[in-house]
Amino acid sequence: MTKAQTPNDARAELSRRGLLLGAASATGLLALGSLGPAASVAAVDISHRTAGRRNVDGTIDGLIRSDPLEVREGRTLRFDPTRDTTLEVSGNLVVRGRLEMRPAPGVQHVLRFVDVEESAFVGGGLDPLDTDVGLWVMGDGVLDLRGTRKRAWNRRGASPSWGRRDELVAAPVAPGDLEPVPFVAGDPVPFWEGRRAEVLNLSRNVRIEGTPGGRAHVFIRSTRPQSIGFVTLRHLGPRQPDGEYTASVLGRYGLHFHHCHEGSQGSLVEGVVVRDCGAHAFVPHMSHGITFRDCIAYDVYDEAYWWDPHDRTDDVLIDRCVAGSVRFDPDLRGYRLAAFLLGLGSRMVMRRCVAFAVHGNLTSSGYSWPEIPSGVWTFRENVAHNNVAAGIFVWQNVGKPHLIRRFTAYNNGVAGIIHGAYSNAYHYRDLDLIGQETAIELSATGRLDPHGSAQSWVDVRGGRLVVRSHGLPGEAPALFLRCSFTGGVTLDEVVGYPGALDFVDCGLEPDGFHVGSMDPATVIRVQRGDGTAYELSATGVRDIGPFYPY
């Protein structure tokens, strides 16, 4: 449209050329399908069809239905920020240019994928597939998505940013409870022993979604950083039959950054909700420099925050994020299922996060360090409660100095922490492991880290410590300093290598040790607060001199 043209002139010209939204093309197809009664069309250009997708550029509003679309390099598909807009696409939307959804408060922007056949998905690969319907951000493509800012969750049950029609849920907190419940803002927040439930707000005024019977996905392989804020991603992560059960489709997840490498540096994912998802929710796979802040994964399958543990992702910050109602199909096969998988990488930070209602089997957890080496994370002020098995699950044989600070676990089904497997140098500081009978299940022996320090536990409060069989001999005793185990220490070393444990100022007397089975060569040293000490072995108890500090 030139400056001399009026909007009506532009509409007439686009209509004559068969490019106006809703106008029939030469083949009888609609350029964007049928329009809702309030759709604005003058600013949108639909050019020729490329590889089964029509190219689009401009601003849309109203209700629009379309066959597959592509936003080409240098073009922008913009949802009118002042008008409610829903774009329904029966096929892929490929963004090589820019997709902008930035509604004003009270305005709703929705991108919905319809007529999706989950059974047709192929999965894998680096390029868009017509069978694998979803949002693909490729090349120099950019997502600029910004809904109205609101508090993602809190423990107060109300926020000035929450609307009266927002959908809220409260996490379970009672012992044995795994089911979140609907919540009304301002109602009393459920609590247990003074600990208040997290209340999540699942509503956003920007939504990208499939349908309950046709889950789509978001795949980003771009050279540009992304800005994704205060968006709900729903009915994503397709699943397909796997014998008598179902399995997710490789690479088709809720929000998936895939092999962006340095291109994703500076990306911000903030206030995003992934819910009702059939696969992993947040996946920064070999895509560096991404911040996830105040995000929620709710009612999802497989590990919620995850990337392939064999691959490296650097400079990731996961701050104040939540994962709740995490499942596997079937749960009994959910080996080492976790809300957060702490993967391989450098300069990794996870802080102030919450994991609840993780199902799976008795090796599942809120936070998991996988069996293969992971990165050394800054891990502090995280919480896990009301999970089937554990708050933390570690299964590593490494000498890396992992440091866990100010961690809280309560009302988990098996233990606050399950710590294995064979020999490692984890260091735990200031832990509250209450509400579950077992605070720690320990099967890993002490290994020296590069600084010469072995596995250590300092200022731990909880129920009982259970010492299981060891798969490797230790290099140095595991140290427990100023720890309080109200249930004492249970020894259950059935097979394996002997252990070596030092307890310093933990209030433990010989009758605080409950021996079920103890390796003949295991040695436990205990130093009281007054400096006196004793040694416990399979042959009995004897007094020794003080041994700490080393």
Side-chain angles (χ1 to χ4, degrees), residues 477-536:
L479 171 67
F480 290 84
L481 175 63
R482 295 190 303 273
C483 296
S484 174
F485 297 113
T486 57
V489 179
T490 297
L491 297 168
D492 190 18
E493 301 176 319
V494 179
V495 295
Y497 292 88
L501 305 172
D502 286 348
F503 295 89
V504 177
D505 196 14
C506 294
L508 282 169
E509 294 299 328
D511 62 2
F513 290 87
H514 312 287
V515 180
S517 178
M518 186 175 182
D519 190 284
T522 290
V523 174
I524 295 172
R525 297 187 298 181
V526 181
Q527 183 171 307
R528 303 179 180 93
D530 63 5
T532 61
Y534 64 91
E535 180 182 280
L536 175 70

Side-chain angles (χ1 to χ4, degrees), residues 23 47 78 93 102 125 150 269 340 349 357-358 437 476 496 516:
S47 59
R78 178 180 297 108
L93 172 56
R102 299 178 65 94
K150 63 176 58 184
V269 180
F340 297 85
V349 179
V358 178
E437 181 180 357

Side-chain angles (χ1 to χ4, degrees), residues 203-533:
S203 297
R204 304 290 186 269
N205 66 333
V206 174
R207 304 201 313 271
I208 298 175
E209 57 192 28
T211 60
R215 287 171 286 211
H217 68 105
V218 178
F219 183 99
I220 300 171
R221 190 167 73 90
S222 170
T223 62
R224 304 280 300 279
Q226 310 297 317
S227 176
I228 307 171
F230 306 98
V231 177
T232 290
L233 306 176
R234 190 174 191 184
H235 301 313
L236 305 179
R239 297 187 71 80
Q240 295 176 341
D242 181 24
E244 59 183 308
Y245 304 109
T246 61
S248 59
V249 179
L250 179 66
R252 307 298 180 248
Y253 310 132
L255 180 61
H256 182 193
F257 290 80
H258 185 70
H259 291 212
C260 296
H261 302 289
E262 295 299 328
S264 53
Q265 283 281 356
S267 294
L268 175 61
V269 180
E270 182 180 21
V272 172
V273 177
V274 177
R275 60 174 301 192
D276 307 307
C277 182
H280 304 295
F282 296 95
V283 180
H285 182 200
M286 295 180 68
S287 299
H288 311 311
I290 303 174
T291 293
F292 297 90
R293 178 173 291 123
D294 283 316
C295 293
I296 295 172
Y298 179 75
D299 194 7
V300 303
Y301 280 87
D302 306 337
E303 293 83 359
Y305 296 77
W306 175 90
W307 63 87
D308 190 323
H310 296 278
D311 293 330
R312 183 183 192 90
T313 301
D314 295 333
D315 302 305
V316 170
L317 169 61
I318 302 177
D319 182 23
R320 210 175 173 277
C321 291
V322 174
S325 291
V326 180
R327 299 177 181 274
F328 200 81
D329 185 23
D331 280 332
L332 62 89
R333 293 187 181 177
Y335 296 100
R336 302 179 190 178
L337 175 69
F340 297 85
L341 184 107
L342 286 91
L344 182 63
S346 298
R347 300 173 298 279
M348 317 297 286
V349 179
M350 184 175 296
R351 65 191 184 199
R352 305 187 296 174
C353 295
V354 178
F356 65 84
V358 178
H359 292 252
N361 64 22
L362 298 184
T363 60
S364 63
S365 63
Y367 307 86
S368 177
W369 278 262
E371 186 165 358
I372 66 173
S374 68
V376 177
W377 288 72
T378 297
F379 186 92
R380 60 182 177 87
E381 299 175 64
N382 298 300
V383 177
H385 66 91
N386 293 82
N387 299 300
V388 161
I392 286 176
F393 183 90
V394 172
W395 203 256
Q396 291 204 332
N397 180 30
V398 295
K400 292 182 178 180
H402 296 276
L403 177 61
I404 291 88
R405 288 185 178 272
R406 295 190 295 280
F407 175 69
T408 298
Y410 67 93
N411 290 345
N412 296 291
V414 175
I417 298 174
I418 298 175
H419 186 85
Y422 307 122
S423 176
N424 57 50
Y426 277 67
H427 305 295
Y428 292 89
R429 302 290 184 269
D430 194 9
L431 312 184
D432 277 315
L433 310 177
I434 61 173
Q436 51 264 314
E437 181 180 357
T438 298
I440 302 165
E441 274 199 8
L442 176 65
S443 57
T445 54
R447 183 168 176 174
L448 295 174
D449 66 21
H451 309 292
S453 297
Q455 182 192 128
S456 62
W457 306 74
V458 180
D459 296 317
V460 178
R461 298 160 293 277
R464 65 174 180 170
L465 167 65
V466 177
V467 181
R468 301 293 190 194
S469 302
H470 306 299
L472 283 177
E475 297 178 345
L479 171 67
F480 290 84
L481 175 63
R482 295 190 303 273
C483 296
S484 174
F485 297 113
T486 57
V489 179
T490 297
L491 297 168
D492 190 18
E493 301 176 319
V494 179
V495 295
Y497 292 88
L501 305 172
D502 286 348
F503 295 89
V504 177
D505 196 14
C506 294
L508 282 169
E509 294 299 328
D511 62 2
F513 290 87
H514 312 287
V515 180
S517 178
M518 186 175 182
D519 190 284
T522 290
V523 174
I524 295 172
R525 297 187 298 181
V526 181
Q527 183 171 307
R528 303 179 180 93
D530 63 5
T532 61

